[in-house]
Amino acid sequence: MVCRLVNGLLPERASRFPEWGLGTRDAFDELYRQFDRIGGTHRVVCDEIDHLEDANTLLDELSHARATGHT
């Protein structure tokens, strides 16, 4: 899920973020880099989140982003 978010935020000509082979922390770090690159305020909408395998990880990470230094 996080990799898909990252790939949706990457510039058009950028290489896609790999969906396999990297850890969850790597994906979240890249997500925050893309948010910083774009700037502004971001809202993540998760439709049918109950179908995600890692929903708790995603919600926990995003809800604590500011506390861990990501604004």
Side-chain angles (χ1 to χ4, degrees):
M1 171 68 178
V2 179
C3 296
R4 288 186 196 157
L5 286 171
V6 169
N7 282 320
L9 295 172
L10 289 171
E12 189 174 306
R13 296 184 188 270
S15 298
R16 293 187 53 80
F17 188 80
E19 294 194 25
W20 302 99
L22 295 174
T24 304
R25 179 80 266 141
D26 297 315
F28 278 112
D29 288 346
E30 185 60 30
L31 179 66
Y32 295 133
R33 275 193 289 279
Q34 292 307 312
F35 283 161
D36 288 343
R37 180 185 63 80
I38 295 167
T41 300
H42 306 281
R43 181 174 293 162
V44 177
V45 177
C46 301
D47 187 23
E48 298 187 25
I49 196 165
D50 56 315
H51 295 284
L52 294 178
E53 291 178 21
D54 60 348
N56 289 335
T57 302
L58 177 66
L59 292 174
D60 186 56
E61 176 68 31
L62 292 177
S63 66
H64 292 98
R66 187 174 304 244
T68 58
H70 303 286
T71 57

